[in-house]
Amino acid sequence: MALSGPGFSMTEFLGAISDTVPPGAARPIVVHAAELERLPSEQVHNPTELAVAGRLPTATFEIFRQTIGPGLSSDMQRHHHETVHYVISGDGHSEVEDDTGSWSAGDFVYTPPWTWHRHYNDSTERPVEFLTIENSRLLGMLGLVRRQSAGLVTMAEARARFKEDTA
């Protein structure tokens, strides 16, 4: 079965997803905090730390524990997948296109697909910790993964840098 393009069939794709994912050593039902797989800093492209719960048997979404150090932020980025951040600890704010919202522990932050966004830790003393959930695995199976990072820049700088690339 083709994962995208003319040979792709939604019926076949959905039929290939198992109704159940049997747990086992390779796909446990619990991944402990110490077992999270920390992504190397050269793969993250910003001052945050990402640790993925990659051994969980999720088929369509990815789960990360993201840490933003005191006074730091993520990069200005956009991607095709949706993302929800649950704020485990800390206080900060997020820019999503032309909107800015403040958040603290217990809040949820939503990032729509293909929107420029950046998350800031407003504390100079304590890190921010997110539980980050995104539907990137599903889009990857469909051949629709796309991500752009403008780096540690403003919204205006990101838009100017990628002004011709709107799709």
Side-chain angles (χ1 to χ4, degrees):
M1 174 184 79
L3 292 178
S4 64
F8 176 77
S9 161
M10 183 59 78
T11 303
E12 288 181 39
F13 171 76
L14 294 173
I17 297 174
S18 175
D19 291 338
T20 61
V21 178
R27 304 301 273 181
I29 59 170
V30 174
V31 173
H32 298 281
E35 299 171 318
L36 295 178
E37 302 162 35
R38 186 173 303 261
L39 295 179
S41 59
E42 62 271 6
Q43 290 181 10
V44 178
H45 305 294
N46 66 59
T48 69
E49 293 180 18
L50 291 175
V52 63
R55 293 180 54 228
L56 286 174
T58 59
T60 61
F61 60 93
E62 192 91 66
I63 301 175
F64 297 90
R65 185 164 186 157
Q66 182 175 9
T67 304
I68 303 175
L72 298 177
S73 73
S74 65
D75 58 329
M76 185 66 71
Q77 60 177 269
R78 63 183 177 179
H79 37 70
H80 279 171
H81 58 267
E82 292 180 285
T83 305
V84 172
H85 296 281
Y86 173 73
V87 184
I88 298 169
S89 64
D91 300 287
H93 70 280
S94 295
E95 293 177 305
V96 180
E97 291 293 340
D98 295 320
D99 293 321
T100 300
S102 296
W103 40 258
S104 58
D107 293 341
F108 291 86
V109 181
Y110 174 68
T111 306
W114 208 243
T115 56
W116 285 113
H117 61 278
R118 189 169 176 185
H119 309 292
Y120 297 83
N121 181 349
D122 291 342
S123 172
T124 58
E125 299 173 9
R126 295 178 317 279
V128 161
E129 294 205 70
F130 289 133
L131 173 65
T132 302
I133 305 163
E134 57 187 44
N135 65 339
S136 53
R137 285 189 180 177
L138 174 62
L139 295 185
M141 288 189 287
L142 296 172
L144 301 173
V145 173
R146 185 157 186 220
R147 176 187 298 266
Q148 289 180 330
S149 172
L152 300 175
V153 301
T154 66
M155 185 76 63
E157 290 169 319
R159 288 176 174 153
R161 180 174 171 196
F162 292 96
K163 68 181 175 185
E164 297 168 8
D165 193 2
T166 58

Short mmCIF file of all heavy atoms in Angstrom, two decimals, residues 75-113:
data_model
loop_
_atom_site.label_atom_id
_atom_site.label_comp_id
_atom_site.label_asym_id
_atom_site.label_seq_id
_atom_site.Cartn_x
_atom_site.Cartn_y
_atom_site.Cartn_z
N ASP A 75 12.29 27.94 19.46
CA ASP A 75 12.52 28.70 18.24
C ASP A 75 11.19 29.11 17.62
O ASP A 75 10.14 28.58 17.97
CB ASP A 75 13.35 27.88 17.25
CG ASP A 75 12.69 26.57 16.87
OD1 ASP A 75 11.96 25.99 17.71
OD2 ASP A 75 12.89 26.10 15.74
N MET A 76 11.23 30.05 16.70
CA MET A 76 10.05 30.42 15.92
C MET A 76 9.92 29.36 14.84
O MET A 76 10.84 29.18 14.03
CB MET A 76 10.23 31.81 15.31
CG MET A 76 9.00 32.33 14.59
SD MET A 76 7.58 32.63 15.67
CE MET A 76 8.13 34.08 16.59
N GLN A 77 8.80 28.63 14.84
CA GLN A 77 8.65 27.53 13.91
C GLN A 77 7.21 27.36 13.49
O GLN A 77 6.30 27.95 14.08
CB GLN A 77 9.15 26.23 14.53
CG GLN A 77 8.40 25.84 15.80
CD GLN A 77 8.88 24.51 16.35
OE1 GLN A 77 8.33 23.47 16.01
NE2 GLN A 77 9.89 24.57 17.21
N ARG A 78 7.03 26.56 12.45
CA ARG A 78 5.69 26.14 12.03
C ARG A 78 5.82 24.75 11.44
O ARG A 78 6.89 24.33 10.99
CB ARG A 78 5.08 27.12 11.02
CG ARG A 78 5.82 27.25 9.71
CD ARG A 78 5.16 28.28 8.83
NE ARG A 78 5.90 28.47 7.58
CZ ARG A 78 5.53 29.30 6.63
NH1 ARG A 78 4.44 30.04 6.79
NH2 ARG A 78 6.24 29.43 5.54
N HIS A 79 4.72 24.00 11.52
CA HIS A 79 4.71 22.62 11.03
C HIS A 79 3.29 22.23 10.68
O HIS A 79 2.33 22.87 11.11
CB HIS A 79 5.29 21.67 12.08
CG HIS A 79 4.96 22.02 13.49
ND1 HIS A 79 3.68 21.89 14.02
CD2 HIS A 79 5.73 22.52 14.49
CE1 HIS A 79 3.69 22.28 15.29
NE2 HIS A 79 4.92 22.67 15.60
N HIS A 80 3.17 21.19 9.88
CA HIS A 80 1.86 20.75 9.42
C HIS A 80 1.03 20.09 10.52
O HIS A 80 -0.19 20.05 10.43
CB HIS A 80 1.99 19.78 8.25
CG HIS A 80 2.23 20.49 6.95
ND1 HIS A 80 2.55 19.81 5.81
CD2 HIS A 80 2.19 21.80 6.59
CE1 HIS A 80 2.70 20.67 4.82
NE2 HIS A 80 2.50 21.89 5.27
N HIS A 81 1.67 19.54 11.54
CA HIS A 81 0.91 18.84 12.58
C HIS A 81 0.35 19.81 13.63
O HIS A 81 0.86 20.91 13.82
CB HIS A 81 1.75 17.75 13.25
CG HIS A 81 3.01 18.27 13.88
ND1 HIS A 81 4.21 18.30 13.21
CD2 HIS A 81 3.26 18.78 15.10
CE1 HIS A 81 5.15 18.80 14.00
NE2 HIS A 81 4.59 19.10 15.16
N GLU A 82 -0.72 19.36 14.29
CA GLU A 82 -1.28 20.08 15.43
C GLU A 82 -0.49 19.70 16.67
O GLU A 82 0.02 18.58 16.77
CB GLU A 82 -2.73 19.68 15.68
CG GLU A 82 -3.70 20.10 14.64
CD GLU A 82 -5.10 19.64 14.98
OE1 GLU A 82 -5.36 18.43 14.84
OE2 GLU A 82 -5.91 20.48 15.40
N THR A 83 -0.43 20.61 17.62
CA THR A 83 0.27 20.33 18.87
C THR A 83 -0.53 20.85 20.05
O THR A 83 -1.11 21.94 19.98
CB THR A 83 1.66 20.99 18.90
OG1 THR A 83 2.40 20.58 17.75
CG2 THR A 83 2.43 20.63 20.15
N VAL A 84 -0.55 20.07 21.13
CA VAL A 84 -1.11 20.53 22.40
C VAL A 84 -0.01 20.37 23.44
O VAL A 84 0.62 19.31 23.54
CB VAL A 84 -2.35 19.71 22.83
CG1 VAL A 84 -2.79 20.09 24.23
CG2 VAL A 84 -3.48 19.92 21.83
N HIS A 85 0.25 21.45 24.18
CA HIS A 85 1.20 21.42 25.29
C HIS A 85 0.39 21.47 26.58
O HIS A 85 -0.43 22.38 26.75
CB HIS A 85 2.13 22.64 25.28
CG HIS A 85 3.02 22.73 24.10
ND1 HIS A 85 4.17 22.00 23.96
CD2 HIS A 85 2.93 23.50 22.99
CE1 HIS A 85 4.76 22.31 22.83
NE2 HIS A 85 4.02 23.22 22.21
N TYR A 86 0.62 20.52 27.48
CA TYR A 86 0.07 20.61 28.83
C TYR A 86 1.20 21.13 29.70
O TYR A 86 2.31 20.56 29.72
CB TYR A 86 -0.40 19.24 29.33
CG TYR A 86 -0.81 19.29 30.78
CD1 TYR A 86 -1.99 19.90 31.16
CD2 TYR A 86 0.02 18.76 31.76
CE1 TYR A 86 -2.35 19.97 32.50
CE2 TYR A 86 -0.34 18.82 33.10
CZ TYR A 86 -1.52 19.43 33.46
OH TYR A 86 -1.88 19.50 34.78
N VAL A 87 0.96 22.23 30.41
CA VAL A 87 2.00 22.85 31.23
C VAL A 87 2.10 22.10 32.55
O VAL A 87 1.20 22.18 33.39
CB VAL A 87 1.71 24.35 31.47
CG1 VAL A 87 2.87 24.99 32.23
CG2 VAL A 87 1.45 25.08 30.16
N ILE A 88 3.17 21.34 32.72
CA ILE A 88 3.42 20.59 33.95
C ILE A 88 3.84 21.54 35.07
O ILE A 88 3.34 21.46 36.19
CB ILE A 88 4.50 19.50 33.73
CG1 ILE A 88 4.04 18.49 32.68
CG2 ILE A 88 4.86 18.82 35.05
CD1 ILE A 88 5.14 17.55 32.22
N SER A 89 4.78 22.43 34.74
CA SER A 89 5.25 23.40 35.74
C SER A 89 5.78 24.64 35.04
O SER A 89 6.23 24.58 33.90
CB SER A 89 6.35 22.77 36.61
OG SER A 89 7.49 22.46 35.83
N GLY A 90 5.71 25.74 35.75
CA GLY A 90 6.26 26.99 35.25
C GLY A 90 5.20 27.95 34.73
O GLY A 90 4.01 27.65 34.72
N ASP A 91 5.68 29.11 34.33
CA ASP A 91 4.84 30.18 33.80
C ASP A 91 5.50 30.75 32.56
O ASP A 91 6.73 30.86 32.50
CB ASP A 91 4.70 31.32 34.83
CG ASP A 91 4.07 30.84 36.12
OD1 ASP A 91 2.86 30.60 36.11
OD2 ASP A 91 4.80 30.70 37.12
N GLY A 92 4.67 31.13 31.61
CA GLY A 92 5.23 31.72 30.40
C GLY A 92 4.15 32.25 29.50
O GLY A 92 3.02 32.48 29.92
N HIS A 93 4.53 32.44 28.26
CA HIS A 93 3.57 32.90 27.25
C HIS A 93 3.95 32.32 25.90
O HIS A 93 5.09 31.91 25.70
CB HIS A 93 3.46 34.43 27.22
CG HIS A 93 4.67 35.12 26.67
ND1 HIS A 93 5.82 35.34 27.41
CD2 HIS A 93 4.91 35.63 25.44
CE1 HIS A 93 6.71 35.97 26.67
NE2 HIS A 93 6.18 36.15 25.45
N SER A 94 2.99 32.30 25.00
CA SER A 94 3.21 31.80 23.66
C SER A 94 2.72 32.82 22.64
O SER A 94 1.69 33.47 22.85
CB SER A 94 2.45 30.48 23.44
OG SER A 94 2.96 29.48 24.28
N GLU A 95 3.46 32.93 21.57
CA GLU A 95 3.04 33.68 20.40
C GLU A 95 2.58 32.65 19.37
O GLU A 95 3.34 31.73 19.05
CB GLU A 95 4.18 34.47 19.79
CG GLU A 95 4.73 35.59 20.61
CD GLU A 95 5.92 36.24 19.92
OE1 GLU A 95 6.89 35.52 19.59
OE2 GLU A 95 5.88 37.46 19.74
N VAL A 96 1.38 32.80 18.86
CA VAL A 96 0.88 31.96 17.78
C VAL A 96 0.32 32.92 16.75
O VAL A 96 -0.74 33.53 16.98
CB VAL A 96 -0.19 30.95 18.25
CG1 VAL A 96 -0.68 30.10 17.09
CG2 VAL A 96 0.37 30.06 19.37
N GLU A 97 1.07 33.09 15.66
CA GLU A 97 0.76 34.11 14.65
C GLU A 97 0.62 35.46 15.36
O GLU A 97 1.55 35.86 16.03
CB GLU A 97 -0.47 33.72 13.82
CG GLU A 97 -0.22 32.54 12.89
CD GLU A 97 0.76 32.81 11.75
OE1 GLU A 97 1.01 33.98 11.39
OE2 GLU A 97 1.27 31.82 11.20
N ASP A 98 -0.51 36.13 15.26
CA ASP A 98 -0.64 37.47 15.84
C ASP A 98 -1.27 37.47 17.23
O ASP A 98 -1.59 38.53 17.76
CB ASP A 98 -1.46 38.37 14.90
CG ASP A 98 -0.72 38.60 13.59
OD1 ASP A 98 0.51 38.79 13.62
OD2 ASP A 98 -1.38 38.58 12.53
N ASP A 99 -1.44 36.28 17.82
CA ASP A 99 -2.01 36.18 19.16
C ASP A 99 -0.93 35.84 20.17
O ASP A 99 0.01 35.10 19.88
CB ASP A 99 -3.09 35.09 19.21
CG ASP A 99 -4.31 35.45 18.39
OD1 ASP A 99 -4.71 36.63 18.41
OD2 ASP A 99 -4.86 34.55 17.73
N THR A 100 -1.08 36.37 21.39
CA THR A 100 -0.18 36.04 22.49
C THR A 100 -1.04 35.63 23.68
O THR A 100 -2.04 36.28 23.97
CB THR A 100 0.68 37.26 22.88
OG1 THR A 100 1.47 37.65 21.75
CG2 THR A 100 1.63 36.92 24.03
N GLY A 101 -0.66 34.53 24.32
CA GLY A 101 -1.40 34.07 25.47
C GLY A 101 -0.46 33.66 26.59
O GLY A 101 0.57 33.02 26.35
N SER A 102 -0.81 34.03 27.81
CA SER A 102 -0.03 33.64 29.00
C SER A 102 -0.57 32.33 29.53
O SER A 102 -1.77 32.05 29.42
CB SER A 102 -0.12 34.71 30.07
OG SER A 102 0.46 35.91 29.61
N TRP A 103 0.29 31.53 30.16
CA TRP A 103 -0.11 30.25 30.70
C TRP A 103 0.71 29.93 31.94
O TRP A 103 1.74 30.55 32.19
CB TRP A 103 0.02 29.13 29.67
CG TRP A 103 1.25 29.22 28.80
CD1 TRP A 103 1.32 29.68 27.50
CD2 TRP A 103 2.59 28.86 29.15
NE1 TRP A 103 2.60 29.63 27.03
CE2 TRP A 103 3.40 29.12 28.02
CE3 TRP A 103 3.18 28.35 30.29
CZ2 TRP A 103 4.78 28.88 28.01
CZ3 TRP A 103 4.56 28.11 30.29
CH2 TRP A 103 5.32 28.37 29.15
N SER A 104 0.21 28.96 32.72
CA SER A 104 0.92 28.49 33.91
C SER A 104 0.56 27.01 34.12
O SER A 104 -0.24 26.45 33.38
CB SER A 104 0.57 29.34 35.13
OG SER A 104 -0.81 29.32 35.36
N ALA A 105 1.14 26.42 35.15
CA ALA A 105 0.95 25.00 35.42
C ALA A 105 -0.53 24.64 35.42
O ALA A 105 -1.36 25.34 35.99
CB ALA A 105 1.57 24.62 36.76
N GLY A 106 -0.84 23.54 34.72
CA GLY A 106 -2.21 23.05 34.62
C GLY A 106 -2.95 23.52 33.37
O GLY A 106 -4.01 23.00 33.05
N ASP A 107 -2.38 24.48 32.65
CA ASP A 107 -3.02 24.99 31.44
C ASP A 107 -2.64 24.16 30.22
O ASP A 107 -1.64 23.44 30.23
CB ASP A 107 -2.61 26.45 31.18
CG ASP A 107 -3.14 27.41 32.24
OD1 ASP A 107 -4.09 27.04 32.96
OD2 ASP A 107 -2.59 28.52 32.34
N PHE A 108 -3.43 24.30 29.16
CA PHE A 108 -3.16 23.67 27.87
C PHE A 108 -2.90 24.77 26.85
O PHE A 108 -3.60 25.78 26.84
CB PHE A 108 -4.36 22.84 27.39
CG PHE A 108 -4.60 21.60 28.20
CD1 PHE A 108 -5.36 21.65 29.36
CD2 PHE A 108 -4.07 20.39 27.81
CE1 PHE A 108 -5.59 20.51 30.12
CE2 PHE A 108 -4.29 19.23 28.55
CZ PHE A 108 -5.05 19.29 29.70
N VAL A 109 -1.93 24.57 25.98
CA VAL A 109 -1.60 25.51 24.92
C VAL A 109 -1.76 24.79 23.59
O VAL A 109 -1.16 23.73 23.38
CB VAL A 109 -0.15 26.03 25.06
CG1 VAL A 109 0.18 27.03 23.96
CG2 VAL A 109 0.09 26.64 26.45
N TYR A 110 -2.57 25.34 22.69
CA TYR A 110 -2.84 24.71 21.39
C TYR A 110 -2.11 25.46 20.28
O TYR A 110 -2.17 26.69 20.22
CB TYR A 110 -4.34 24.72 21.10
CG TYR A 110 -4.69 24.22 19.72
CD1 TYR A 110 -4.50 22.88 19.37
CD2 TYR A 110 -5.20 25.08 18.77
CE1 TYR A 110 -4.82 22.42 18.11
CE2 TYR A 110 -5.52 24.62 17.50
CZ TYR A 110 -5.32 23.30 17.17
OH TYR A 110 -5.64 22.83 15.92
N THR A 111 -1.45 24.71 19.42
CA THR A 111 -0.81 25.28 18.24
C THR A 111 -1.45 24.67 17.00
O THR A 111 -1.30 23.47 16.74
CB THR A 111 0.71 24.98 18.22
OG1 THR A 111 1.29 25.44 19.44
CG2 THR A 111 1.39 25.67 17.05
N PRO A 112 -2.19 25.47 16.22
CA PRO A 112 -2.82 24.96 15.00
C PRO A 112 -1.76 24.61 13.94
O PRO A 112 -0.63 25.09 14.00
CB PRO A 112 -3.69 26.12 14.52
CG PRO A 112 -3.79 27.07 15.66
CD PRO A 112 -2.55 26.86 16.48
N PRO A 113 -2.16 23.83 12.94
CA PRO A 113 -1.22 23.49 11.86
C PRO A 113 -0.75 24.73 11.09
O PRO A 113 -1.52 25.67 10.88
CB PRO A 113 -2.04 22.59 10.93
CG PRO A 113 -3.18 22.10 11.76
CD PRO A 113 -3.45 23.16 12.77
#
